[in-house]
Amino acid sequence: MTEKKVPIVERILSANDQLAEQNKARLDGAKVFAVNIMASPGAGKTSLILRTIEGLSKDWRIAVVEGDTAPVTIDSEKVEAAGVPAVQVNTGGGCHLDAVMFGDALARLSLSDLDFLIVENVGNLICPAAFKLGVHTNVLVASVTEGDDKPYKYPKMYRNVDVLLLNKIDLLPHVDFGMDYFRRGVEMLNPGLTFFPISCRTGEGIGEWTSWLAARKAR
Ligand code: MG
Ligand code: ZN
């Protein structure tokens, strides 16, 4: 069984990767810098997106793609209330976004009117890491309330991202989170990974993150 299953999964992933390349080419053609935000449910993806909009929307034109497993518009409404367009992608129960869904979302946006496109992936630390979308930066939002062992338990996710944000650092005095243990795990999987400790609640570290993002786009 497993002998047959593995090649099929590999074929699906390579078809996805080809579509991801096409998505990337469309974004590059329109000079849009795309960011894929991944995290477990409740880590603070939407809060981070709202903070990022707050930090960047003065100078840049932004839109958001909201991936959700259910047809709920809770996150899209928050984004639109912050003054930027949101495109809702309903995965129909699926636990990740893929390049087809992302391509469909791109077709619903006026890319030439944008500088940044932020994607809120489905809350899940497993398969979003395996399905490329065709973005320029893959971001993982971890949070101190999830525990310090997550790099060890979800190595593939930690290995495949370009940036790690550790959210809710304002709660550090109230939780047992071993920062050294966490960072050792991250360093083992993804040496030199760009890391920002942040709090979406207090705003701490958000300026460093948005400056980094703006600098990446300029490059
Ligand atoms: Mg959300
Ligand atoms: Zn999935």
Side-chain angles (χ1 to χ4, degrees), residues 38-47 141-146 167-168 200:
M38 297 178 284
S40 61
K45 292 184 295 304
T46 310
S47 305
V141 185
S143 63
V144 302
T145 49
E146 287 165 51
N167 191 20
K168 310 190 189 182
C200 290

Side-chain angles (χ1 to χ4, degrees), residues 23-198:
N23 291 340
K24 182 90 164 285
R26 270 163 85 179
L27 291 161
D28 286 341
K31 296 192 168 62
V32 179
F33 189 89
V35 185
N36 177 27
I37 313 275
M38 297 178 284
S40 61
K45 292 184 295 304
T46 310
S47 305
L48 173 75
I49 289 169
L50 294 175
R51 282 289 192 180
T52 306
I53 290 169
E54 194 181 280
L56 292 180
S57 60
K58 197 159 44 73
D59 302 315
W60 306 97
R61 299 164 300 171
I62 307 169
V64 175
V65 172
E66 280 292 343
D68 270 303
T69 62
V72 289
T73 53
I74 300 167
D75 291 349
S76 301
E77 283 166 20
K78 287 181 188 166
V79 165
E80 280 171 347
V84 311
V87 167
Q88 178 90 15
V89 178
N90 181 7
T91 65
C95 46
H96 58 268
L97 292 178
D98 63 26
V100 177
M101 298 174 202
F102 185 49
D104 290 345
L106 293 185
R108 289 157 59 197
L109 285 159
S110 175
L111 294 180
S112 55
D113 295 329
L114 295 177
D115 301 304
F116 280 99
L117 182 59
I118 304 174
V119 182
E120 178 167 354
N121 214 309
V122 177
N124 171 0
L125 287 180
I126 304 168
C127 32
F131 287 85
K132 286 183 188 155
L133 302 181
V135 298
H136 300 90
T137 298
N138 285 292
V139 179
L140 172 60
V141 185
S143 63
V144 302
T145 49
E146 287 165 51
D148 50 22
D149 58 354
K150 292 303 167 286
Y152 303 90
K153 289 180 147 181
Y154 301 94
K156 191 161 185 202
M157 175 59 80
Y158 278 81
R159 219 180 261 130
N160 281 342
V161 292
D162 307 304
V163 191
L164 171 63
L165 306 184
L166 179 63
N167 191 20
K168 310 190 189 182
I169 54 163
D170 54 305
L171 297 178
L172 275 172
H174 309 287
V175 291
D176 293 321
F177 185 90
M179 188 65 85
D180 290 343
Y181 179 65
F182 176 78
R183 296 209 62 177
R184 261 203 316 279
V186 173
E187 190 57 28
M188 185 181 74
L189 295 163
N190 198 331
L193 178 62
T194 302
F195 175 71
F196 297 103
I198 61 165

